[in-house]
Amino acid sequence: MADYDFDVLVIGSGPGGYVAAIRAAQLGLKTACIESRETLGGTCLNVGCIPSKAMLHASELFEEAASGKLAKLGIKGSVTLDLETMHAQRRDAVKGLTGGIEYLFKKNKVEWIKGRGAFTGADTVAVGDKSYRARNIVIATGSSVTPLPGITVDNDSQIIVDSTGALELAKVPGHMIVIGGGVIGLELGSVWKRLGAKVTVVEYLDMILPGMDSEIRKESLKVFKKQGIEFKLSTKVTGASVEGGKAMLSVEPSAGGDTEIIEADVVLVSIGRRPNTDGLALDKAGLAVNGRGQVEIDHDFSTSVPGIWAIGDVVPGPMLAHKAEDEGIAVAENIAGLTGIVNHDIIPSVVYTMPEIAGVGLTEEQAKERGEIKVGKFPMMANSRAKTNHEGDGMVKVIADAKTDRVLGVWIIASLGGTMIAQAAQAMEFGGTSEDIAYTCHAHPTHSEALKEAAMAVQGKPIHI
């Protein structure tokens, strides 16, 4: 039997894949990573998390100046939008971070195999005309945009686009329709709304942000409406065409009813993502996908085939970069004979709009199904720092077990919600109670004091409201 080329061969260099490769190499395992893109980092660094945050940040600053918000602070003067420069700083951020992963590969002696991998056996992967044999193979191929039946996305035309195309628009659309009221649609819709577009979100369900706490979803909708984003809820899209450089979208009530045609300059299709398994030839490795196209795994990220592991968007669970990264560390440690664990009950999720919307743990609805609970809330308008910074929209909500006081879930709408949620996740990881958070000294004045006060409210004793 031929020798192995590698101890660990990772397919895919997104957050899960590159972290798994680096940690495996750090643990002394001969490691390679297969990636077909010209740059490392997967969807997240190239066309997802990172470039969208670059545009969210830049558009936020533009909107503050153009809307007159800065003038009220004594910062006066007119501003103009240079969209190409805004795109350039986005591309620069991507270039710097993807190049950083390449540097980390070299530093940790991870070999980058350029091309697309496909199994030819349970321990062998072909890339082009070369074949590589490994003791352990980690599937970390991520996910891609879910298509909407009957609607053809053409990013080059910049009329009907997906999230990748929405990052590259050469001009601000007069009217953008976003199909899907989830995280990606709301983030990218917010970008173009701030830059001057009219934005309409069409959502099949009766509320935005499925999966999040019901009260937080309703409060978020109020905030977005206040910002001028329009919503057509309980509405399904039945078709789309391009006529004279415009998109013509056919919609009707989800429950059935009359069809309405809406005209738009750009339609963004953002109804979710699906696992990337096409072309992997999983059958040749003895693997199959489940009904959702995912690779099933055990608690240690091993598949049904010994020596083949899987992590990230390609396995069940939320499709989040930080979940994939944690799984990357865990799977490498398990391969090395250590104990790699990810607590999937405590995975924070964040919508990077302004304000940010963040949550970790159970929703109030889920918690009530498990037993008696207590809930504490605190509005951001009563937080001194948020009020001073004119960031009064939002709230913090702490859900605790009524008997043990253990924190079961935390939900935040605040300008710094994505950062604030980390404290909640850490408290929950340690099995913390609302009292633990309430009696921990928080610096003043900070937005984080709202979490302390919401925890105090669980016992009915907040100070500043």
Side-chain angles (χ1 to χ4, degrees), residues 186 189-190 193 199-201 224-231:
L186 291 170
S190 291
K193 174 69 181 75
V199 174
T200 304
V201 176
F224 291 131
K225 283 183 174 178
K226 186 172 151 187
Q227 293 173 357
I229 297 176
E230 297 178 11
F231 290 86

Side-chain angles (χ1 to χ4, degrees), residues 398-412:
V398 175
I399 303 160
D401 184 283
K403 295 184 179 67
T404 66
D405 192 38
R406 188 167 181 164
V407 178
L408 303 175
V410 175
W411 297 88
I412 300 173

